[in-house]
C-alpha cells in the first residue's frame, strides 16, 4: 500500500465500511474505529493530501472547509456547550499513523493541556 492509497482512501471509495456522519464532494467525516473520547470523528479531504505538511496555497479553501465541517458537525451533535477539541497530527513524530490528512474532532470528556 503506497502513501497514495491509505485505509482512508479505501473508506472514501467505499471499499471498506465506516460510520459516516457527513459527506460532500470534497469532504468525508466518519467515526474513528478506536475512539479516544466518547465522540471521536475524523474529517478528511477526498483529494489525496498525505498530511498538513504537503498543503499548499491552493489548498487554503479546502483547509477552511475541513475546519468548518468540524464546527458544523459539532453544532449538529450538540457539542458546542461543553466544548470540543480539533487535532491534526502532522508527521510520525507528532503521532500521525495514517498518511491522508485528517482532523480529529474530539468531545465528550475533559481534555488536559498541554497534550501528551
Ligand atoms: P493519526 O494517528 O494518524 O492521527 O490518526 C489515525 C486515526 O485513524 C486513529 O485514531 C485510528 O484509530 C483511526 N483509524 C485507523 N484505521 C481506521 C479504520 O479502518 N477505520 C476508522 N474509522 N478509523 C481508523
Amino acid at each position: 500500500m503506497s502513501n497514495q492509497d491509505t485505509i482512508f482512501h479505501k473508506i472514501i471509495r467505499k471499499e471498506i465500511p465506516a460510520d459516516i456522519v457527513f459527506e460532500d464532494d470534497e469532504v468525508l467525516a466518519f467515526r474513528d474505529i478506536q475512539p479516544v473520547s466518547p465522540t471521536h470523528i475524523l474529517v478528511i479531504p477526498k483529494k489525496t493530501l498525505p498530511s498538513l505538511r504537503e498543503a499548499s496555497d491552493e489548498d487554503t479553501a479546502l483547509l477552511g472547509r475541513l475546519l468548518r465541517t468540524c464546527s458544523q458537525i459539532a453544532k449538529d451533535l450538540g457539542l458546542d456547550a461543553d466544548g470540543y477539541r480539533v487535532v491534526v497530527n502532522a508527521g510520525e513524530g507528532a503521532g500521525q499513523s495514517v498518511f491522508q490528512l485528517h482532523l480529529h474532532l474530539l468531545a465528550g470528556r475533559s481534555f488536559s493541556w498541554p497534550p501528551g
Side-chain angles (χ1 to χ4, degrees):
M1 187 172 75
S2 76
N3 282 351
Q4 302 298 306
D5 195 23
T6 68
I7 195 88
F8 291 174
H9 290 86
K10 294 184 195 306
I11 290 174
I12 291 167
R13 295 196 299 265
K14 311 285 168 61
E15 291 171 7
I16 65 169
D19 186 353
I20 293 172
V21 298
F22 175 80
E23 180 170 17
D24 68 12
D25 54 334
E26 287 190 312
V27 175
L28 184 69
F30 51 94
R31 294 188 188 274
D32 197 291
I33 204 166
Q34 283 189 294
V36 299
S37 53
T39 298
H40 186 171
I41 291 166
L42 301 170
V43 179
I44 71 172
K46 291 186 172 177
K47 166 190 166 172
T48 292
L49 192 54
S51 83
L52 198 56
R53 297 172 300 179
E54 286 76 29
S56 66
D57 285 349
E58 74 177 35
D59 298 311
T60 300
L62 176 61
L63 295 173
R65 272 186 92 158
L66 292 168
L67 205 50
R68 177 69 185 102
T69 299
C70 287
S71 72
Q72 189 60 52
I73 291 171
K75 195 172 290 300
D76 292 345
L77 295 183
L79 305 176
D80 279 1
D82 289 339
Y84 54 88
R85 182 172 288 185
V86 177
V87 173
V88 179
N89 298 322
E92 251 167 345
Q96 186 176 4
S97 61
V98 179
F99 287 86
Q100 168 69 357
L101 173 65
H102 48 282
L103 283 63
H104 296 258
L105 171 59
L106 305 167
R109 64 172 172 86
S110 59
F111 297 98
S112 59
W113 192 264

